[in-house]
Amino acid sequence: MSSTFRSRWPQTGTIISDSYTPQFFDAIIPEDREKLDALVASGAVTTIHDSLQDQLEELVEVRAPYLRVKGAALNQLVLAHLAGTPIEFYGTYVFFPWRKELLHILPKDEFIEVRTSRNRYRITPSEQTHLSSMTIGVIGLSVGSATALTLALEGIGGELRIADFDVLSLSNTNRLRSPISNIGFNKAVLCAREMCEINPYLKIKVFPTGLQEDNFEAFLTNGGKLDLLIEECDDLPMKVFSRERAREHGIPVIMETSDKGMLDVERFDKEPERPLFHGLMGDMDSKRIRVLGPKERMPYQLRIVGTRDSVSPRLLACLFEMGRTTRSWPQLASAISLGAGVAADTARRLLLGETIPSGRFYVDLTKLVSPEASAALPDWEILEPSEAVSQSATTSPVAIPPVPEGEITGPLGRDEVEYIIAHGCLAPSGGNSQAWHFTLRDGRIDCSIPTTYDWTHMDFEGRSLFVAMGAAVQNIVLAAKSIGLEAEIIPTMRPGSEAVCSINFSRVAPVQARLFAAIPKRMTNRQQSGVGTSLTNVKIQALVDTASRWGAKLSIVTDEDRKRKVANVIGAVDRVRILHPGLHKDLGNEIQWTRAEAHKTGRGIGIDTLGMDATDRVGAYLMTSWPVMEVLRDLNLGEDLKRMGSGFKCNAYALLTMPKKGLQSYLQGGRAMEEVWLEATLQNIGFCPSSSSPFMFARLEEGGDNIYSELEKQTLKAARQEFLDVFPKADKECEILLFRLSEAAAPETRSLRCPVSEVLTICDR
């Protein structure tokens, strides 16, 4: 090959400059447009990349993700955002001299909004704003380069100061993501360029000659003190000196070693007297370490990284090969990438004020990904339909004893009480808690809340429990009448009391009431209906008349506008319930996900009775996780939680009320509710309690609102006002139950019941 082959080529240094600072041109400013025209005319620009239309489309999508528009409709939203400004005059033109490339991008705030939109809500908008005000320094740009780039990607830091005197070599490209055309260029400059290409608006200060004692103070404090120092340099004296100065200024330090994911955190911001490197170097300081030779420094380097048991064997083995078969410490791209993630994650959490203590931490993949660490795979049985979770809708959830035979006289007998209590157990209760106990004593039945019952936040002063007990009592009354027993109900309840009522009996001729036959058939029907159908006036009147016999009022809403208002109330109240820590816990305890759970107690609501498809099952599964819901609560999010209640289709909503307020009205109202429900069963009307709003409103207005936050109170008050727009006299009455009525097919499954023996005690005379 001729020796003149390359003689006419330009030298490398004339091809690419050492620039790392982008140039900005505001498209709306005429002077900037003139400068931009001159720049392009000069030939300095070889590539123009204008993707502003795409960026604007993404901006409007980010701001309204629920719209899901495309094509012409999306372009109309873009034009509305431009508000008459020609697209070529909107935003910013950015020139990268080192690439000879011109880009057209969104203005700074919009650019950052879209660029970080996929961080939400792993990083909240307020947290993102806080992070963008932070100033972070990175020393040493091997691990440090990957860390700095990760910080730039996540939007951690509004200003980054980076320092490294070294240049990129071919052997560096085993771990640094850089093309070989960058060999020979300063690592800090290359890192700055890559960060600028990620976010041109990011403020970057580069120290391409590295750091020494004469410029270290400027690195730490010029333009404002660092909020965090990430130290990743190889020079031991600089490691020590950087910590001495950081401690003097109260700046926390993070170091990742790219071996076993070892991370050091030194909170000099919280512990101004903390010894360097956790005291591992004793009283050694930077001045004394600087005069030591490489061999004399080795023991201190080993002290920093750890013992032979804490450092990977392959890394330690290299000590015997340094200068013989290898030039320097081995480093792998996978370890660098892991270290960058660990360091950036820790930096983010530290800067956001999480409790990150000083100390040493390991993210050792050799232990985390190993035969011993293999995790059990999740059991998704909970999301699969299971006939065993609940009973068939055609069978009774309680074994009804045979009708007592023969002429019976005297006090109530065992056969009789088991027969009538079995019918009582078929009554509905909140969350299918079945919070009732019956004691046969001296011929009467005492009805009470079990002493073992764990009262929930929904049981304010026993209201919901008394409604359920009233329903059970009414079933008992109807069953008793069918075998010749007349029942007399004597209320005994008081706030927070376990006693509810007693039932005395006298013998009469057997009479099987019309509603008695519906007791074993009554169930909650959560099937949706209401589209293109309506309840007949005859059926509606039958329900209204049944309520009236108890002095109760049944207000039924069938028109779409008022139904929509009720649905909005249900959704708002449901969201409060799901995002309230106590109410959420109670709600989660109601759901029975598996066969074992469902049959263990016979209580709770089997997931198969909720009429959910596979997608809704997943939603319910996630919804019952408090850590997930707590995030939504803390961020005041979770509007979609309203959907399950507010999006339900039905023919009508109905509110059952009693004329007088008071605990006794809840017991009497429960009896009325059960008869209305039984009548609906005979009329083939799907009946489903639709909300906990009556009991949550009662707590809000009658002395129990201390469990709610101020925001929850405001939400419930607004929902209450909308509720009263539909049911204007409800606040003057005793609200028993809000429920849905549907012309829907019967469900395939129904909730279980615990056996009579668990809720009945017979005291021998």
Side-chain angles (χ1 to χ4, degrees), residues 445-610:
I445 295 177
D446 293 331
C447 308
S448 62
I449 310 302
T451 56
T452 56
Y453 175 69
D454 187 12
W455 287 51
T456 72
H457 292 77
M458 203 62 69
D459 302 329
F460 177 52
E461 294 183 334
R463 285 165 163 79
S464 62
L465 301 180
F466 298 157
V467 170
M469 186 68 82
V473 164
Q474 189 55 27
N475 280 1
I476 290 172
V477 169
L478 294 173
K481 186 176 293 187
S482 73
I483 60 172
L485 293 167
E486 187 73 32
E488 177 191 9
I489 314 302
I490 304 172
T492 58
M493 82 280 288
R494 60 184 184 277
S497 168
E498 293 169 352
V500 179
C501 66
S502 292
I503 310 176
N504 291 327
F505 297 93
S506 57
R507 296 200 176 274
V508 295
V511 176
Q512 190 168 105
R514 174 173 167 273
L515 296 178
F516 173 70
I519 293 176
K521 302 175 184 177
R522 186 214 59 80
M523 70 183 75
T524 298
N525 188 334
R526 297 183 175 90
Q527 305 298 314
Q528 299 203 44
S529 183
V531 179
T533 63
S534 60
L535 295 173
T536 66
N537 291 334
V538 172
K539 289 185 175 184
I540 290 176
Q541 193 60 48
L543 301 182
V544 172
D545 291 344
T546 301
S548 298
R549 289 199 294 270
W550 291 88
K553 181 174 72 175
L554 190 63
S555 303
I556 298 181
V557 175
T558 57
D559 69 275
E560 292 303 320
D561 287 342
R562 296 173 73 219
K563 280 167 58 178
R564 193 174 300 111
K565 280 192 173 185
V566 176
N568 289 340
V569 171
I570 292 170
V573 173
D574 282 354
R575 178 177 174 274
V576 170
R577 185 183 184 189
I578 294 167
L579 296 183
H580 182 282
L583 291 167
H584 178 275
K585 180 180 178 181
D586 297 336
L587 180 62
N589 289 340
E590 292 178 3
I591 305 296
Q592 305 293 355
W593 289 95
T594 65
R595 175 184 299 115
E597 287 181 356
H599 286 275
K600 186 175 181 179
T601 64
R603 290 182 168 87
I605 300 175
I607 189 67
D608 281 358
T609 69
L610 297 179

Side-chain angles (χ1 to χ4, degrees), residues 707-721:
I707 74 165
Y708 301 132
S709 69
E710 286 304 313
L711 181 59
E712 287 166 343
K713 290 178 186 178
Q714 294 172 16
T715 301
L716 290 174
K717 287 177 181 177
R720 180 60 165 169
Q721 188 55 57

Side-chain angles (χ1 to χ4, degrees), residues 25-185:
F25 304 89
D26 191 329
I28 201 67
I29 300 175
E31 292 83 354
D32 277 16
R33 293 201 298 271
E34 291 178 6
K35 293 177 182 177
L36 188 56
D37 286 340
L39 178 70
V40 174
S42 72
V45 178
T46 60
T47 304
I48 299 176
H49 186 63
D50 191 338
S51 62
L52 188 62
Q53 176 69 27
D54 294 336
Q55 296 172 48
L56 284 166
E57 289 177 359
E58 192 170 9
L59 174 66
V60 298
E61 288 175 327
V62 163
R63 290 183 172 179
Y66 45 83
L67 292 180
R68 300 184 183 278
V69 294
K70 297 293 180 184
L74 181 58
N75 189 55
Q76 286 301 312
L77 293 176
V78 169
L79 293 174
H81 179 79
L82 290 172
T85 301
I87 192 169
E88 62 268 26
F89 291 166
Y90 191 85
T92 305
Y93 289 87
V94 182
F95 177 57
F96 296 142
W98 59 92
R99 293 177 63 95
K100 298 186 177 181
E101 185 175 47
L102 181 68
L103 292 87
H104 190 189
I105 63 174
L106 290 168
K108 181 177 180 179
D109 289 346
E110 293 177 356
F111 180 89
I112 300 300
E113 179 184 355
V114 176
R115 211 195 69 77
T116 61
S117 63
R118 293 294 293 272
N119 290 356
R120 194 180 301 180
Y121 287 97
R122 296 293 297 273
I123 302 173
T124 69
S126 61
E127 288 173 339
Q128 200 79 66
T129 299
H130 175 76
L131 290 171
S132 69
S133 69
M134 298 288 102
T135 302
I136 304 170
V138 183
I139 309 173
L141 294 170
S142 287
V143 174
S145 176
T147 302
L149 291 171
T150 304
L151 296 174
L153 286 168
E154 286 195 7
I156 302 172
E159 178 181 327
L160 289 176
R161 301 173 194 166
I162 57 176
D164 200 319
F165 67 90
D166 201 7
V167 298
L168 184 74
S169 64
L170 180 59
S171 63
N172 293 150
T173 61
N174 81 317
R175 62 193 184 278
L176 297 185
R177 193 182 67 85
S178 186
I180 57 176
S181 58
N182 285 334
I183 291 173
F185 285 88

Side-chain angles (χ1 to χ4, degrees), residues 54 113 191 558 628 732 753:
D54 294 336
E113 179 184 355
C191 182
T558 57
V628 176
K732 304 296 191 296
R753 291 290 191 276

